[in-house]
């Protein structure tokens, strides 16, 4: 019956859609994100004008971001990155201030063409018809959808969520799952408690207990949310509960994870994963790492939602907003945010903040000043960096931000601090292997620092299995594939980075396109390099050697670049 009702739901009209767009524009989520709203407005208008089927990454880059926008790593992001951020912003809007919207704009993972849906309620039909935060279907390096829970969650999210809602109704309200009351009312960050649905039978209980144990370990890596063993009764900061269950979905034994905020009724996020064999520790570990990453990262599910909920302490709320802005700064390197973030992090350190990640973020900001990635405020940057590192290390030497900075410094030292990199590699691989950003930094240090791409490749491959759409992690994996001579994987990454405007990615695209004789990609890569004044074979060869001065990688790139012919350079590109 529900499906029949759903099929009878009216299709939104153009005026309805334009009105919905105006409400999105007026909302707080996209009000300060002009770049992403401009992209959303373009996609919607093209679809309403009947040109949606012609939306491509290249045309969007030209029409929205300008043909001459130099999308290098320190300036403007690529269309793929902006699409990912736009999806996240829409998800956050519809989870919070837009939860009662009946006409919604949907951007499905991997697609540029928007869809428009009409929902009846924000609690039921919305969760049946649109993807929840982080519900993009990841791709394996060969470009096919990954077999397992990610695909199943996308196909059967309606059934999974309905099942979860039913179980919650049977079990009672989630806040009553725990009889124990935590006394930790002194926390100044959001908290998350893991719970197993009360009706689970003994045969499934062991599997869920093992998943909860692995998940608890993975969640501890992310400092933005504190994991608690029992539900707390106070409301100083937002509190969440993740309910774990096992269900049969389309004949498959499936792990179901469902997130709810305490003192709020609706299910915020729900995912289903095909349950592996009970003795498949690696598969369960990978599922737990994926859940943790979706929930706990700065632009994941919990932190953005927590920032919109009620906080007892205005100072706690301001401190948390500062940390979230710091993560945004490190993603976008926005000149508008740097002074504000530097000040609020400095204030927290002056008050002796107990959180090591505050020191790590502050150290990272001053590291950016030292490197010239963010202009201004370079005076005493080294001194401030050393001071923050010393204080942070005394609190938690395994804090992810501190480890990332240690890896950056070690690989950029002269000489390279090989022992330091190897020591952190062992620590991360042994106990911190569920954090894809740490894995990425280890792989970059091994590859770009030590030239050991063979060791870097399996580490970055694991990171890619955890994340769904990280442009920078994929860039490391792309480089590693070329460095070890894995050209089939490199060709699949070329599809991921097709028509990229980044000049260093253009070198990789050019090499792979030459290897497989892909004429269109060769021409586009040369066009990007020409805008960097690299307009001849000799200039590109020199730039390649300067950008990738690592023997193992360079020996793979050089033979491909040598295939260039003068006929590949149109007269408009030459001096």
């Amino acid at each position: 019956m529900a499906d029949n009702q759903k099929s009878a739901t009216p299709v939104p009209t153009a005026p309805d859609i334009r009105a919905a767009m105006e409400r999105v524009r007026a909302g707080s989520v996209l009000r300060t994100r002009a770049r992403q709203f401009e992209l959303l407005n373009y996609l919607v208008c093209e679809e309403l004008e009947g040109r949606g089927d012609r939306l491509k990454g290249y045309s969007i880059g030209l029409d929205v971001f300008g043909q001459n926008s130099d999308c290098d790593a320190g300036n403007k992001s690529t269309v793929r990155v902006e699409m990912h951020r736009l999806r996240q912003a829409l998800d956050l809007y519809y989870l919070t201030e837009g939860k009662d919207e009946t006409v919604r704009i949907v951007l499905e993972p991997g697609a540029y063409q928007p869809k428009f849906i009409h929902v009846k309620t924000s609690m039921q039909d919305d969760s049946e018809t649109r993807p929840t935060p982080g519900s993009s279907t990841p791709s394996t390096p060969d470009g096919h959808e990954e077999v397992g829970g990610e695909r199943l969650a996308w196909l059967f999210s309606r059934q999974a969520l309905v099942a979860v809602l039913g179980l919650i109704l049977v079990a009672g309200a989630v806040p009553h799952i725990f009889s124990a009351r935590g006394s930790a009312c002194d926390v100044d960050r959001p908290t998350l408690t893991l719970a197993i649905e009360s009706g689970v039978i003994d045969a499934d209980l062991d599997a869920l207990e093992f998943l909860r144990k692995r998940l608890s370990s993975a969640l501890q890596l992310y400092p933005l949310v504190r994991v608690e063993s029992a539900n707390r009764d106070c409301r100083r900061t937002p509190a969440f509960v993740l309910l774990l269950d096992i269900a049969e979905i389309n004949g498959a034994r499936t792990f179901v994870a469902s997130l709810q905020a305490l003192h709020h009724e609706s299910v915020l996020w729900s995912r289903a994963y095909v349950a592996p064999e009970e003795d498949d520790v690696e598969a369960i570990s990978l599922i737990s790492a994926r859940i943790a990453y979706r929930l706990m990262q700065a632009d994941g599910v919990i932190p953005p939602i927590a920032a919109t909920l009620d906080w007892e302490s205005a100072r706690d709320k301001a401190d948390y907003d500062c940390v979230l802005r710091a993560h945004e700064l490190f993603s976008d390197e926005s000149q508008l945010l740097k002074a504000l973030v530097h000040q609020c992090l400095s204030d927290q350190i002056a008050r002796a903040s107990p959180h090591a990640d505050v020191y790590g973020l502050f150290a990272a900001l001053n590291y950016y000043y030292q490197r010239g990635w963010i202009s201004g405020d370079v005076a005493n940057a080294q001194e401030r960096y050393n001071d923050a590192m010393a204080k942070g290390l005394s609190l938690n030497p395994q804090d992810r931000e501190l480890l990332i900075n240690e890896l950056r410094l070690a690989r950029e030292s002269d000489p390279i601090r090989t022992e330091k990199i190897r020591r952190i590699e062992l620590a991360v691989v042994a106990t911190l292997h569920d954090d894809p950003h740490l894995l990425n930094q280890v792989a970059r240090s091994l590859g770009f620092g030590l030239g050991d791409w063979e060791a870097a490749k399996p580490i970055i491959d694991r990171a890619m299995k955890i994340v769904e759409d990280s442009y920078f992690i994929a860039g490391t994996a792309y480089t590693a594939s070329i460095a070890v001579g894995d050209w089939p994987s490199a060709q699949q990454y070329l599809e991921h980075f097709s028509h990229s405007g980044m000049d260093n990615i253009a070198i990789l695209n050019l090499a792979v396109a030459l290897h497989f004789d892909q004429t269109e990609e060769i021409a586009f890569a040369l066009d990007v390099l020409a805008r960097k004044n690299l307009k001849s074979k000799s200039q590109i060869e020199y730039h390649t050697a300067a950008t990738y001065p690592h023997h193992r990688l360079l020996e793979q790139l050089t033979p491909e670049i040598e295939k260039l012919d003068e006929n590949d350079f149109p007269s408009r590109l030459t001096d």
Side-chain angles (χ1 to χ4, degrees):
M1 181 179 296
D3 287 337
N4 292 336
Q5 291 174 347
K6 183 178 176 182
S7 62
T9 302
V11 177
T13 65
D16 291 338
I17 295 165
R18 295 187 190 279
M21 277 282 292
E22 287 304 311
R23 291 191 292 273
V24 172
R25 182 201 295 269
S28 61
V29 174
L30 277 152
R31 187 184 302 147
T32 59
R33 305 183 189 188
R35 182 181 178 90
Q36 282 144 38
F37 183 81
E38 182 182 3
L39 174 58
L40 177 63
N41 187 63
Y42 172 80
L43 298 176
V44 171
C45 289
E46 288 295 291
E47 178 67 17
L48 292 179
E49 293 295 328
R51 297 186 294 270
D53 59 340
R54 287 180 279 176
L55 287 170
K56 305 294 181 185
Y58 180 56
S59 60
I60 294 171
L62 293 178
D63 293 344
V64 180
F65 305 120
Q67 185 172 4
N68 295 321
S69 60
D70 296 328
C71 302
D72 57 42
N75 191 2
K76 296 183 179 179
S77 301
T78 64
V79 172
R80 284 184 185 276
V81 173
E82 291 302 331
M83 286 292 298
H84 179 57
R85 291 172 179 167
L86 176 56
R87 290 188 191 100
Q88 291 177 322
L90 280 177
D91 282 335
L92 178 58
Y93 173 75
Y94 289 127
L95 277 171
T96 54
E97 58 191 308
K99 65 182 183 298
D100 294 324
E101 290 282 354
T102 56
V103 175
R104 304 199 176 188
I105 304 164
V106 175
L107 295 173
E108 293 185 349
Y112 296 119
Q113 191 171 359
K115 294 184 178 180
F116 311 112
I117 61 172
H118 190 285
V119 296
K120 294 180 181 178
T121 70
S122 61
M123 183 175 173
Q124 295 176 342
D125 290 7
D126 172 38
S127 50
E128 294 176 7
T129 53
R130 72 173 181 88
T132 51
S135 63
S136 303
T137 304
S139 297
T140 57
D142 62 2
H144 293 90
E145 289 172 346
E146 201 161 9
V147 176
E150 303 289 325
R151 179 60 175 161
L152 186 67
W154 176 252
L155 290 175
F156 307 118
S157 58
R158 176 180 182 276
Q159 293 93 326
L161 189 52
V162 169
V164 172
L165 288 170
L167 291 170
I168 290 175
L169 290 174
V170 172
V174 170
H176 299 291
I177 292 176
F178 295 99
S179 59
R181 294 294 184 187
S183 60
C185 285
D186 59 340
V187 296
D188 56 1
R189 302 239 169 156
T191 60
L192 176 67
T193 305
L194 303 179
I196 295 178
E197 201 281 319
S198 59
V200 173
I201 60 176
D202 291 342
D204 293 328
L205 191 58
D206 288 345
L208 284 181
E209 285 287 2
F210 184 67
L211 175 62
R212 178 163 67 172
K213 179 180 177 181
R214 302 292 297 201
L215 182 55
S216 178
S217 176
L219 292 169
Q220 300 288 349
L221 298 176
Y222 297 91
L224 286 171
V225 182
R226 173 171 162 174
V227 181
E228 292 192 331
S229 58
N231 195 20
R232 59 188 172 86
D233 209 16
C234 64
R235 301 192 187 187
R236 177 176 176 182
T237 62
F240 299 83
V241 62
L242 188 71
L243 185 67
L244 302 176
D245 190 21
I246 287 184
E248 290 286 330
I249 300 178
N250 280 32
R253 183 171 177 267
T254 307
F255 288 144
V256 180
S258 176
L259 180 72
Q260 184 173 1
L262 294 184
H263 315 299
H264 292 74
E265 295 180 354
S266 60
V267 173
L268 299 174
W269 180 88
S270 181
R271 297 299 296 273
Y273 302 82
V274 171
E277 297 296 328
E278 292 185 9
D279 58 350
D280 193 344
V281 175
E282 173 58 26
I284 296 177
S285 176
L286 189 59
I287 289 174
S288 67
R290 286 174 175 165
I291 295 174
Y293 181 74
R294 302 293 189 276
L295 291 180
M296 309 287 264
Q297 61 173 326
D299 57 353
V301 178
I302 293 179
I305 294 176
T308 68
L309 300 179
D310 295 331
W311 294 60
E312 183 180 272
S313 167
R315 169 168 283 184
D316 290 343
K317 176 67 162 59
D319 286 348
Y320 197 70
D321 287 343
C322 173
V323 172
L324 291 184
R325 284 196 299 270
H327 283 283
E328 181 182 347
L329 169 66
F330 299 143
S331 297
D332 296 346
E333 296 182 12
S334 168
Q335 296 293 327
L336 298 176
L337 285 175
K338 67 181 183 66
L340 178 63
V341 168
H342 196 280
Q343 183 59 52
C344 64
L345 290 177
S346 299
D347 291 344
Q348 290 193 55
I349 289 177
R351 289 187 273 110
S353 170
H355 295 284
D357 65 301
V358 172
Y359 297 88
L361 291 167
F362 185 74
L365 179 56
N366 285 304
Y367 169 85
Y368 277 20
Y369 288 137
Q370 294 175 57
R371 298 292 298 170
W373 296 347
I374 299 179
S375 61
D377 203 15
V378 296
N380 302 316
Q382 182 66 50
E383 181 181 345
R384 293 195 306 267
Y385 179 89
N386 292 337
D387 182 60
M389 289 293 288
K391 291 179 179 178
L393 287 171
S394 67
L395 289 169
N396 181 5
Q398 287 196 331
D399 177 79
R400 65 199 300 262
E401 300 294 342
L402 300 180
L403 286 175
I404 285 172
N405 278 288
E406 285 289 282
L407 286 166
R408 285 169 168 167
L409 288 174
R411 69 173 179 259
E412 293 174 7
S413 297
D414 187 14
I416 294 173
R417 298 169 62 187
T418 303
E419 183 181 350
K420 182 75 170 180
I421 293 173
R422 291 297 187 184
R423 186 164 65 249
I424 296 177
E425 174 198 1
L426 290 175
V428 171
V429 172
T431 61
L432 304 172
H433 55 269
D434 289 332
D435 186 331
H437 295 290
L438 267 178
L439 293 173
N440 180 46
Q441 290 298 329
V442 170
R444 293 181 69 83
S445 297
L446 291 172
F448 291 112
L450 305 183
D452 188 356
W453 287 104
E454 284 77 8
K457 183 70 162 56
I459 293 174
I460 195 61
D461 284 348
R462 177 173 176 80
M464 282 300 295
K465 289 178 181 178
I466 296 172
V467 302
E468 67 183 42
D469 191 14
S470 172
Y471 194 86
F472 299 109
I473 292 177
T476 306
Y478 191 13
T479 308
S481 295
I482 296 173
V484 301
D486 183 1
W487 291 103
S489 293
Q491 185 179 31
Q492 285 131 22
Y493 280 114
L494 171 60
E495 297 175 4
H496 180 85
F497 287 101
S498 180
H499 293 90
S500 169
M502 296 172 63
D503 66 314
N504 59 330
I505 294 295
I507 291 289
L508 303 182
N509 283 356
L510 177 61
V512 179
L514 286 165
H515 187 87
F516 291 100
D517 195 24
Q518 296 181 234
T519 306
E520 182 180 346
E521 289 291 351
I522 292 172
F524 187 83
L526 288 174
D527 187 53
V528 172
L529 294 171
R531 284 186 264 130
K532 294 292 184 181
N533 291 319
L534 302 172
K535 302 179 180 180
S536 68
K537 179 178 178 180
S538 61
Q539 288 176 327
I540 292 175
E541 287 176 332
Y542 179 83
H543 180 74
T544 302
T547 305
Y548 301 105
H550 313 91
H551 177 71
R552 188 72 177 88
L553 177 58
L554 194 58
E555 71 179 10
Q556 298 289 336
L557 294 174
T558 300
E560 304 305 327
I561 301 300
E562 288 177 350
K563 295 177 182 177
L564 283 172
D565 186 89
E566 292 304 321
N567 293 328
D568 294 322
F569 295 87
S571 58
R572 64 184 179 86
L573 298 181
T574 57
D575 292 323

